[in-house]
């Protein structure tokens, strides 16, 4: 007895876990959608955002940054991510070291740990788990708009304060805090 290919049961291929490269490709393609970028409502005083459907179950956002706004120091816990500036310019300050993930409240950072990147329109960045950074729109006049994607979807965000070389864990946010 032979079975024709059309008689075989269909099997769905499992969805691949998105990599940093996949997330980077997604933010690049999304930022190229000028109608989507232009549709983001902008507020003169606070950041605005729209949640997007990211690849492979990832979490994605289109974010508007008024002049002089920023995130403060934070990480994305166990998620990898990517972001791209679609309009304007953003500055990313980051730490060039992997920090312990839990069990501390205050860390003394070494002198050579700081990194700075300027991401003008079209420039992107991917990062791994536990990446500690802050993102800023330092412009005094122009909004910036960016596209972000994270996988797995953000389980939590740890927020830090920084005074000189001292980094202090201030708060842990869960998805219900920002949804």
């Amino acid at each position: 007895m032979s079975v024709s290919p059309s008689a075989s049961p269909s099997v769905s291929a499992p969805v691949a876990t998105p990599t940093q490269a996949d997330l980077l490709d997604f933010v690049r393609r999304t930022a190229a959608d000028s109608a989507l970028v232009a549709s983001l409502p902008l507020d003169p005083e606070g950041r605005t955002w729209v949640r997007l459907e990211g690849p492979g179950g990832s979490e994605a956002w289109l974010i508007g940054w008024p002049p002089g706004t920023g995130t403060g120091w934070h990480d994305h816990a166990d998620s990898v991510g990517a972001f791209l500036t679609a309009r304007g310019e953003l500055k990313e300050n980051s730490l060039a070291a992997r920090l312990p993930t839990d069990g501390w409240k205050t860390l003394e950072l070494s002198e050579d740990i700081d990194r700075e990147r300027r991401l003008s329109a079209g420039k992107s960045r991917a990062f791994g788990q536990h990446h500690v950074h802050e993102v800023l729109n330092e412009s005094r006049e122009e909004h910036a708009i960016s596209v972000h994607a994270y996988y797995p979807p953000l389980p939590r965000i740890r927020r830090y304060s920084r005074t000189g070389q001292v980094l202090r864990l201030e708060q842990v946010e869960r998805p219900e805090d920002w949804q």
Side-chain angles (χ1 to χ4, degrees):
M1 172 179 182
S2 68
V3 177
S4 69
S6 61
S8 309
S10 79
V11 177
S12 299
V15 175
T17 299
T19 64
Q20 287 179 38
D22 296 329
L23 298 175
L24 201 52
D25 180 58
F26 170 80
V27 299
R28 287 178 177 145
R29 285 184 290 108
T30 302
D33 183 342
S34 57
L36 175 65
V37 171
S39 74
L40 181 68
L42 300 177
D43 182 305
E45 296 181 19
R47 287 190 297 153
T48 55
W49 55 87
V50 172
R51 190 166 185 160
L52 306 170
E53 189 67 35
S58 63
E59 182 170 341
W61 300 89
L62 180 65
I63 301 176
W65 305 75
T69 59
T71 60
W73 287 94
H74 68 283
D75 72 17
H76 304 101
D78 297 322
S79 297
V80 298
F83 70 98
L84 179 140
T85 304
R87 189 165 83 191
E89 180 179 84
L90 293 172
K91 175 183 173 188
E92 180 196 35
N93 294 318
S94 63
L95 302 180
R98 189 173 179 138
L99 303 180
T101 57
D102 292 306
W104 64 275
K105 288 288 279 177
T106 304
L107 284 177
E108 181 82 26
L109 303 172
S110 65
E111 292 293 326
D112 59 349
I113 200 166
D114 291 297
R115 298 296 180 267
E116 177 183 308
R117 284 185 176 81
R118 295 212 174 259
L119 299 156
S120 57
K123 300 293 182 189
S124 58
R125 166 95 166 91
F127 53 86
Q129 297 176 327
H130 311 291
H131 176 69
V132 177
H133 69 163
E134 67 175 347
V135 180
L136 309 158
N137 177 5
E138 293 186 321
S139 172
R140 293 187 175 147
E141 298 152 12
E142 288 186 51
H143 267 79
I145 297 176
S146 56
V147 180
H148 302 247
Y150 310 98
Y151 189 84
L154 297 172
R156 63 186 178 201
I157 293 178
R158 289 181 287 239
R159 300 229 175 248
Y160 306 97
S161 63
R162 183 164 179 195
T163 305
Q165 295 307 111
V166 176
L167 188 70
R168 181 176 204 47
L169 176 63
E170 296 292 343
Q171 162 181 10
V172 177
E173 295 176 1
R174 307 241 180 258
E176 55 272 15
D177 298 326
W178 65 81
Q179 301 280 338

